[in-house]
Amino acid sequence: MLRKTSIGFMFMMAILVAAGGAYASTIIYYETPGAGGEQIIYANMMLNLMAHFDSEVTTADVAEYQSGDLGNYDYAVYIGYSYDFELPQDFLDDVATNQHRILWIGEGLHQLTDAFPGPGPFGFKSGEYNEGDGRDRIDYKGRFMERREELSFWDVEITGNPGIYSYLIPDGLPDQDHPHFLCGGNLCYLAEFPFWFDWIDDRMYVLADLLHEFYETDALENHKALFRFYELTPGMVDTANVRQVVDKLGEMDVPFAFAVVPIFKDVTGLIADPDTEWHFDDDPDLVILIDDMLDVGGVLIQLGVTHQHDDGTTGDAEFVQGESGDPLGYDAQAWVQDRIEAGLQEFAAEGWTPKIWETPWHLASHGDYLIFSEYFDYYLQNPQVFPVRHDADPIFATSFIGPTNQLMPFETTFSASNMGIAPANLGCVLPGTPGADFEDLRDMALRMSIVRDAVVSFCAYSGVDPDDMEDFVGELEDLGYLFTNPNGLFGITDDDDDSDDDWFPDDDADDDAADCHECDSTGDCVADLGEEHACVDNCCVSVPAWHEDEPDIVDDDPDDDAQIDGDDDDDSDNGACGC
C-alpha cells in the first residue's frame, strides 16, 4: 500500500537545513543535553505548543550558536534548565541587539541582564531566586490558576515599563510584587520552569495562552470540544447503546468521531476463548453501525491494528511492552509498516479510509511514530515526547530515560512526530472511576478554558448513558465550548460522508437515493435503525408512526437478535458481544 511520504526525503531536508540556511521562522534553543536528554524533551514539548502558532518551528543546541544566527528567525525561544549552564557570549550579544521577538523561560536570565548598567533595554532585570513564598497561584486574566508542589521562581526587578501579563500570588491574596510573565523591548520572560508540571497543575495551560501574547496574535475566545467513541472493536461493541448516543448527539447537533480497532485478538483467553480473532466480517452489526455513523458525518479514526500484540504478552498495548512503555525487541521499520498496512487493508475491504491515527495507550517507539507519519497526516492523542531531536532518524527498539506524553490544550498542523495533533486531553469517561467521571472531566475543561482557543477532547466506551452524555455536552456548551470533529478542526474533506439528510455539512450533493441499508426482515431494520423502520425490497425504509399499514415487527430468528427477542444474551456464533 502506498505510503503518504518518504522518511528518507524528510531526513534529506534535515541534512540540507544543517548544511545551509534556516527553514523555520521560530527556533527553540535548549541547553546541551545531559545523560537523560531531558533538555530535548522540553524543547520538543515547546515545539509542539508553538506549532499551533507557526507552521515552521525548529530546535537547536544553544552551545552550537554562531554569531548572527538569531537574525535568520522571526521568533526565538531559550529554555533555561540549569542555573550553572554558561551561555555563549555570541548568543547573549545577539539577544541584546536582535530586533525579533525572543522568549526566555526559566534559568539564566542574569547572564543577559546583569551585563547592562542602569535600567537596561528591556525594562526589567533578573532578580533573586525565590523558594516560592507560598505563591501557589498565577493571577492571569482575572483568574487564579493553580501551582502545586514546587513553587520556586525567579524574582524580577522592574527597571522601566514592561508589559506585565501575569503575577505569582498566594491563594486569595493578589498582589503585583512578583511578575510571572512580562515583555519589554524584544524580550519576553517567563519567571519559572513550567514543563515539570504538565498534567499536574495549570502552569502549562497558562503558558499555552501566553504564547498568544508572545506571537502578538489577535485571537479571540474560541473554545472547541471533540468527542469520540473509543475502542470500537469487532465483537466487542454494544451497538444498540452506540446508536442511542449517536441519536442523542444528532438531536443536539453535536459532531463526533469514533476510534476503531480493526482486528480483535485474545491470544491468552482473557476475554474470549484463547486464540480468538475477530475481523469486520465476523461482526456485521458493527459494519452497519460504522457505515451509518459515516453517513451522519462521524469521523473514522484508526486506533492501532489489534490494540495488543500477537502473543498477548503486552497486555492492552500494541507497540510497546505494556504501560511501562519499554520497547519490543523486534520493533523495526518493516514490522511497523507491515502492521499498519494490514490494518488499512481491513478498513479498505469495507470501503473505509481512516485519515487520522491514534496509538493504543498513546505509547510507541520513536521510530514507530515516524512510520505512522508516513501513512497519516494527523493523529489524535496525547503526543509522546522523546529526548531525541525532532529531525533525528527513526530509532526503534530503544529505551529512553523519561519519554513522556504531553497534554496539549489545542490542535497543531505538525509536531515533533511529523503529524498534526488533535488533542486527547480530558481522557475517557469511566463513570464511577476516580478522575474519570463526567464531573472530573468538566473540572479539567473549566481549568483549560484559560486558553483562549482551547480544544478539549474526551472519549467514551460503548455503554455510556446517553442522558449522562447529553448533560455533559450541555455543561461544556455552558462553559463556552462549541463541538466540532477532527475534520472540522483540520479542514479535512471527508470522502466517506455521502449523506445529505444528516445534521452535519457534507461534501457531496443529493446522493442518498442510491443508498440502501440492506435487510432480510423488518426485525433487522428495527434492530439496526430503531422503531418506525421496515424492510421493503431488501432495503430498510422509514415508516412514520401514523402510517396505518405499518407492518408488525417479526422476529424470524429469536436466537440471534437480543434486541427483538428481549433476552440479555447473544446466541449468535459470530463472536459479537451482547453486553
Side-chain angles (χ1 to χ4, degrees), residues 7 22 53 89 104 115 128 156 169 178 217 240 294 366 369 391 458 486 564:
I7 281 184
F53 300 87
Q89 190 59 48
W104 194 299
E128 297 295 322
V156 178
I169 63 170
H178 299 276
T217 77
L294 290 170
H366 173 266
Y369 280 103
D391 54 1
F458 69 103
I564 303 301

Side-chain angles (χ1 to χ4, degrees), residues 436-449:
D437 214 332
F438 278 116
E439 184 176 349
D440 300 305
L441 271 61
R442 180 192 178 279
D443 290 344
M444 194 170 181
L446 177 60
R447 293 165 50 206
M448 206 174 300
S449 66

Side-chain angles (χ1 to χ4, degrees), residues 41 44-45 48 319-320 322-327 359-366 368-369 372 379 381-388 398 400 402-408 415-419 421:
I41 288 180
N44 285 335
M45 291 174 72
N48 287 343
F319 295 93
V320 295
E323 295 181 52
S324 68
D326 293 332
T359 310
W361 280 104
H362 300 179
L363 294 172
S365 74
H366 173 266
D368 292 347
Y369 280 103
F372 301 157
Y379 66 147
Q381 67 175 75
N382 304 309
Q384 196 171 349
V385 187
F386 295 91
V388 176
T398 300
F400 293 105
T404 183
N405 288 101
Q406 181 177 3
L407 191 153
M408 289 293 295
S415 69
S417 294
N418 290 331
M419 291 178 282
I421 301 169

Side-chain angles (χ1 to χ4, degrees), residues 293-454:
M293 293 169 82
L294 290 170
D295 282 346
V296 296
V299 174
L300 173 63
I301 298 168
Q302 180 171 346
L303 178 58
V305 181
T306 64
H307 211 297
Q308 62 159 25
H309 192 46
D310 296 339
D311 60 8
T313 58
T314 64
D316 209 21
E318 182 171 350
F319 295 93
V320 295
Q321 297 185 43
E323 295 181 52
S324 68
D326 293 332
L328 299 169
Y330 41 79
D331 180 41
Q333 177 173 329
W335 174 77
V336 179
Q337 289 172 341
D338 289 346
R339 196 166 189 86
I340 298 301
E341 292 183 8
L344 289 172
Q345 288 169 3
E346 295 282 327
F347 287 105
E350 304 298 334
W352 307 326
T353 306
K355 297 181 180 179
I356 298 172
W357 169 265
E358 182 171 1
T359 310
W361 280 104
H362 300 179
L363 294 172
S365 74
H366 173 266
D368 292 347
Y369 280 103
L370 296 185
I371 298 301
F372 301 157
S373 75
E374 290 190 330
Y375 298 90
F376 299 91
D377 290 321
Y378 308 96
Y379 66 147
L380 191 157
Q381 67 175 75
N382 304 309
Q384 196 171 349
V385 187
F386 295 91
V388 176
R389 278 186 53 89
H390 70 283
D391 54 1
D393 289 347
I395 301 171
F396 300 94
T398 300
S399 292
F400 293 105
I401 299 174
T404 183
N405 288 101
Q406 181 177 3
L407 191 153
M408 289 293 295
F410 37 46
E411 83 286 357
T412 75
T413 55
F414 77 104
S415 69
S417 294
N418 290 331
M419 291 178 282
I421 301 169
N425 42 39
L426 298 189
C428 258
V429 179
L430 295 171
T433 301
D437 214 332
F438 278 116
E439 184 176 349
D440 300 305
L441 271 61
R442 180 192 178 279
D443 290 344
M444 194 170 181
L446 177 60
R447 293 165 50 206
M448 206 174 300
S449 66
I450 195 69
V451 183
R452 68 197 70 182
D453 53 353

